Amino acid sequence: MRQTVPNSQDPEPTQLYLYERKQRHTALVLLLNMGVLIAMYAAARKWIEPSEARDQLFYWINIAVPVVEVCLLLLAIYFWLKNGRFRMSVDTNRFTIDDPISKTYSFSVPVSEIEGIRQTYRNHTNYTTTVMYLKSGETIQLTPNYNYSRRALYDALKEANSTIQLPEHPYRFKQV
């Protein structure tokens, strides 16, 4: 995790934004996805007209669905037992993300070092990214894996450091 040593002369920081999510929530979502997959499989079985193409399709689906179901179940069990905590916070001094799934997305930086955040959309790959730029030239990609409020996050960052360049709209991405 990237981290700089806070200045001991700084006043006690004020919490401006906090988002936390336990992995048990993710485990429940995975179990829900298992149910949706079974429902989709049953609906396809019921409504796809019998034909040779259907038989070929279901040959592969009958292999893929159980494999996916087992993978989802194993991930759900892992997340339920591990129950790590994703935490995103902004206070008057620091912007911190602690991601138990990926240390790549974990960091802690002073808000005074943040130059800006850019959101881009790549049309040919249908891929969005949110990247934070630091005054040092370093870039840090913000995780897309959690349903945090970008609007509240950006408002807190702007309150902590009014010079940060933020997207005009938190849910619109510039096409590149």
Side-chain angles (χ1 to χ4, degrees), residues 7-54:
N7 186 345
S8 61
Q9 304 298 323
D10 292 340
E12 188 65 32
T14 302
Q15 186 81 34
L16 302 173
Y17 176 77
L18 178 63
Y19 174 86
E20 291 183 317
R21 179 61 49 105
K22 293 290 226 165
Q23 285 182 324
R24 285 198 175 153
H25 181 269
T26 304
L28 294 174
V29 169
L30 290 172
L31 293 174
L32 176 67
N33 287 338
M34 289 176 65
V36 168
L37 180 58
I38 291 295
M40 290 171 57
Y41 176 80
R45 273 271 188 218
K46 181 176 181 176
W47 285 306
I48 294 179
E49 297 288 327
S51 69
E52 186 177 322
R54 178 188 188 265

Side-chain angles (χ1 to χ4, degrees), residues 52-70:
E52 186 177 322
R54 178 188 188 265
D55 294 341
Q56 290 176 1
L57 175 67
F58 276 100
Y59 172 81
W60 292 108
I61 288 177
N62 288 336
I63 294 169
V65 167
V67 169
V68 171
E69 288 285 324
V70 167

Side-chain angles (χ1 to χ4, degrees), residues 103-161:
K103 292 304 172 191
T104 301
Y105 291 117
S106 297
F107 62 86
S108 181
V109 296
V111 292
S112 61
E113 293 301 311
I114 301 171
E115 186 175 283
I117 294 178
R118 294 187 197 121
Q119 300 176 150
T120 58
Y121 169 73
R122 298 188 193 298
N123 192 28
H124 62 282
T125 59
N126 197 25
Y127 186 70
T128 61
T129 57
T130 305
V131 177
M132 180 172 58
Y133 293 83
L134 302 180
K135 292 177 181 175
S136 67
E138 182 181 6
T139 60
I140 302 171
Q141 185 173 348
L142 302 184
T143 181
N145 297 332
Y146 296 90
N147 193 24
Y148 56 89
S149 168
R150 280 194 194 97
R151 181 178 312 280
L153 172 64
Y154 293 170
D155 288 347
L157 286 170
K158 196 66 162 177
E159 184 178 339
N161 179 359

